[in-house]
Amino acid sequence: MCREDSRTSSKHRVGSLFVLSGPSGVGKGTLREHALNNIANLVYSISCTTRQPRPGETDGVEYRFISHEKFKQDISENLFLEYAHVHNDYYGTLKADVESALNSGHDVLLEIDVQGALQVREKMPQAVLIFIAPPSVQELERRLTKRNTESQEVIRTRLNNALRELELQDKYNHVIINDDLERASQELRNIIMNNYES
Ligand code: ADP
Ligand code: 5GP
């Protein structure tokens, strides 16, 4: 997509925004990494969250880990493009991060929950919404258990939330079933590349 820059009359590329959602454990993080490693010009917008870092996570890499107080202050200052309360914590995307990346010509990938994705659709209808679905709920449970990053109680909460999230997949522009990782990854790449070329 090119937009005329009225000040210089030169062509200035404004990037496209891609939003990835789907239930916890479906493979969003895995597909996101594949996309970022394989698609030039695609950047990830690092979200803010009030949840505690998992072992191995670093502030400013996976997330910006902030306090509830700071999150609420940022909400009151209208700094978020979208935010939501997910699995007992707040998560949000800073407007300034997305705007500066898009304006510098990068395509931007967000990995956010369904409530946040619908807020983005309202504010930026040109965003491309992609839902990652599991082959089955049983497989989702197996992946969450195998990942071994959450307690059984947290896994149960996430599986309950998954059922509600799956009902919203028809609000998305694309649905990818993450059965075979290579195939799903290629499908995601095709969606992003086709959009880039259009
Ligand atoms: P999410 O980011 O959606 O919570 P992850 O990317 O962390 O999910 O994936 C959850 C687990 O499932 C990880 O252990 C990952 O290696 C595994 N996984 C991802 N995609 C597939 C797939 N297509 N087939 C089997 N396992 C997968
Ligand atoms: P996790 O705690 O497993 O990293 O993420 C939990 C959920 O929060 C996932 O569904 C993830 O997509 C969502 N999430 C992460 N960042 C954001 C964000 O900035 N906004 C919203 N709305 N959801 C987010």
Side-chain angles (χ1 to χ4, degrees), residues 7 9 20 29 32 35 38 40 42 44 52 60 77-78 119 129-130 144-145 151 156 158 168 173 182:
R7 286 165 304 160
S9 291
L20 211 58
R32 177 189 80 203
N38 290 296
L42 184 68
Y44 179 59
Q52 291 298 308
E77 289 175 17
N78 197 24
Q119 293 172 39
L129 269 57
I130 305 162
L144 271 176
T145 308
S151 66
R156 262 198 306 280
R158 289 183 174 222
L168 292 170
N173 302 101
E182 279 311 311

Side-chain angles (χ1 to χ4, degrees), residues 23-30 143 146-147 178-179 181:
S24 183
V26 74
K28 299 180 300 294
T30 311
R143 287 184 195 171
K146 190 189 83 177
R147 190 171 67 183
N178 183 19
D179 41 14
L181 185 58

Side-chain angles (χ1 to χ4, degrees), residues 41 56 59 74 88 97 100 125 129 140:
N41 200 43
D59 185 34
D74 288 355
N88 299 325
D97 286 355
S100 70
L129 269 57
L140 192 60

Side-chain angles (χ1 to χ4, degrees), residues 68-125:
H68 273 89
E69 291 67 31
K70 168 83 173 114
F71 204 102
K72 291 206 163 129
Q73 188 187 331
D74 288 355
I75 293 173
S76 69
E77 289 175 17
N78 197 24
L79 298 186
F80 289 113
L81 169 63
E82 63 74 34
Y83 70 91
H85 195 238
V86 190
H87 313 314
N88 299 325
D89 274 295
Y90 282 99
Y91 294 80
T93 306
L94 289 172
K95 223 185 298 189
D97 286 355
V98 172
E99 281 170 3
S100 70
L102 290 175
N103 287 332
S104 66
H106 288 101
D107 292 321
V108 178
L109 185 64
L110 304 182
E111 191 212 305
I112 62 177
D113 90 307
V114 288
Q115 307 166 71
L118 298 181
Q119 293 172 39
V120 173
R121 195 178 70 163
E122 282 289 306
K123 290 183 185 160
M124 300 180 72

